[in-house]
Each structure stands twice: as C-alpha cells, then as structure tokens.
Amino acid sequence: MIGIGAGDPSLVTVQAVEALGEVDTFLVFDKGEVKADLAVVRQEVLRRFATAKPFRVVEVQDPVRDVGLPYEEAVARWHLERVVMFERVLLAEVADGERVGILVWGDPALYDSTLRIIDQVIARGRVAIEHTVVPGISSMQLLAARHRISLNRIGRSVLITTGRKLRLGLAEGPDDVVVMLDGETSFIDLVGHGFEIFWGAYLGSADEILIAGLLDEVAGEIVRVRRDARRRKGWIFDIYLLRRVNSA
C-alpha cells in the first residue's frame, strides 16, 4: 500500500518511488468520469516513477455508498462491497508471487479505508496477503504548509475530526481542530464563537484554492467559493483548520 500524497506528483516520497519500482500489478479503484482528473494524476505518478520494470494496472469499480441508509450502516455495507471486489480481483487477476501495489491518496493511515479493507480480506482467509504500508504526505500536512502555519500551538492539543462529528458540537477544548470530509460546511455553526479558519480545496492540484481569516469574516466567502468550485468540477475535496482566537 503506497501513499502518493495529496495531488501533486512531486509530493511522492523517495520511499514511495522505490516501492513503485517493485510492483508487478497496480490495483486502483475507478471513481468514474466525474473524478477522471484524479486518474490523470495517478497515471502521471506511474509514468514518472514506476520505471524500473513493466507493470499492469487493474481497475476495480468503486462501489457507491448508499446515502439513504444510516451513516454507520452505509459505510459498513460499502466496505463489505469493496472487500468482496478486492478479493475477487486478487483471486482472478493476480498470479502467485506477484507484487501488488495499491495507490492511496494522501497517507494510508489518515481517513482512508484501504487498510481496513485489506485487513478484512485477510480475515476472510481466501487470499494470503503479506503487506507493508508506505506513508504519504497528507492533505493535513499540505494545508499547514500552504498556509505557512503549524497545526499545533505550544503545549496545545490538536483534534482531527470530520464535519459530521463537528456538527454534533465542539466540546470545550481543544482550541485547534482539523476538519475533514465536511460536505455540509459545518464551520458555519461556529460563526460568532471566536475562531479563525485556514481552508483549502484541491490541495496539491492545479485547481488549489486557499482562504484564511477570521471565521466571522470569511465563512460566507468559503461557502460561495466552495459551491462554485463543486459546480464547476462536479466534486470537491476540502479540509480546514479551526483555531480558537486568543484562548488562554
């Protein structure tokens, strides 16, 4: 499993380049035409760095999560569908002794389900797998770099969470919160509560967008820019840091 960074091929690490050169067959999830530009970046990563020997690419159709179901149930079913598809492809497409590479956006250990999928495939016992994980530059790291900030302040904690969790309420402290997977712009609920925001979308790509400032002053701009970008591209991936201002 190889982390390939947050959208810019130049973010691929030396360790990842070495791992790419050892792969015989790459398994990739096909996310459809709407996100075809992600496939272009993935192809560029392989073109630049998987040069040590010939390789194959096997595409696995990514199942669609049922948004009509309760969240936990929908995710569990979605993961199971992925497990079955991966297992089927491994049995049908991969020969004994082949080295298989799975490209993961960002870092495999941060808000990505691929490790859990592989663990479930192993637990089913139909495919023998020995695997390693190559870390990558995450969108969280790139967000901090683009805004020229540290994610943590001296002696402070940082919470990494999702928009869904943020909407359930932000407990007293921590004062610095990284929010991922927020399709509902949940930061709106914190306008008037003394936060600043460092927001980024499509980080590492040619479409990268950055906005920062006091939340009360820039929340509306972020909502507008985000809506327009999503309409233009058909999808959006964004992330942001909320930082409580003047906290003791």
Side-chain angles (χ1 to χ4, degrees):
M1 196 172 308
I2 306 170
I4 59 171
D8 182 346
S10 67
L11 294 172
V12 175
T13 67
V14 173
Q15 186 181 26
V17 171
E18 292 174 351
L20 290 167
E22 298 175 353
V23 171
D24 300 304
T25 300
F26 290 97
L27 300 185
V28 298
F29 274 118
D30 180 5
K31 296 183 177 295
E33 292 185 6
V34 172
K35 296 184 179 179
D37 44 352
L38 293 179
V40 171
V41 175
R42 184 180 65 219
Q43 291 164 7
E44 178 63 13
V45 167
L46 294 179
R47 186 191 69 80
R48 287 195 198 183
F49 305 123
T51 59
K53 63 179 182 180
F55 61 83
R56 295 185 301 133
V57 175
V58 176
E59 292 192 346
V60 183
Q61 189 64 41
D62 198 7
V64 178
R65 179 162 59 88
D66 187 347
V67 296
L69 294 175
Y71 178 77
E72 299 292 346
E73 180 182 353
V75 169
R77 289 194 183 187
W78 178 48
H79 282 185
L80 180 57
E81 290 177 354
R82 281 185 145 202
V83 167
V84 171
M85 286 186 175
F86 250 116
E87 183 181 75
R88 183 183 302 130
V89 169
L90 288 170
L91 289 169
E93 300 285 348
V94 178
D96 290 344
E98 276 194 293
R99 288 180 176 267
V100 175
I102 301 173
L103 305 184
V104 177
W105 294 106
D107 184 272
L110 183 65
Y111 281 94
D112 183 85
S113 63
T114 311
L115 272 171
R116 297 184 185 91
I117 301 303
I118 296 302
D119 287 343
Q120 291 181 58
V121 171
I122 294 171
R124 287 162 67 93
R126 299 188 63 203
V127 184
I129 298 175
E130 294 182 6
H131 64 299
T132 58
V133 178
V134 177
I137 302 299
S138 71
S139 59
M140 182 175 66
Q141 294 168 280
L142 191 54
L143 178 77
R146 289 293 193 258
H147 284 290
R148 303 183 298 280
I149 59 172
S150 296
L151 288 174
N152 69 297
R153 289 180 281 184
I154 297 174
R156 309 286 184 86
S157 299
V158 178
L159 173 66
I160 305 172
T161 191
T162 65
R164 188 174 65 90
K165 290 291 188 181
L166 188 67
R167 291 193 298 277
L168 297 178
L170 185 63
E172 290 299 323
D175 297 324
D176 300 276
V177 183
V178 176
V179 184
M180 308 178 75
L181 305 175
D182 184 10
E184 306 296 331
T185 57
S186 304
F187 55 80
I188 291 295
D189 294 341
L190 293 174
V191 168
H193 290 269
F195 283 92
E196 57 183 336
I197 187 170
F198 300 87
W199 177 84
Y202 310 115
L203 292 174
S205 76
D207 298 307
E208 182 175 280
I209 311 170
L210 299 170
I211 297 175
L214 294 174
L215 182 61
D216 295 12
E217 297 176 359
V218 301
E221 179 187 1
I222 293 173
V223 170
R224 176 183 57 79
V225 169
R226 186 184 190 281
R227 182 188 61 238
D228 292 346
R230 184 169 189 172
R231 183 185 300 121
R232 181 176 64 253
K233 287 183 66 68
W235 64 279
I236 190 167
F237 181 84
D238 58 340
I239 180 174
Y240 55 90
L241 170 70
L242 289 170
R243 172 159 286 168
R244 205 182 301 269
V245 179
N246 297 327
S247 60

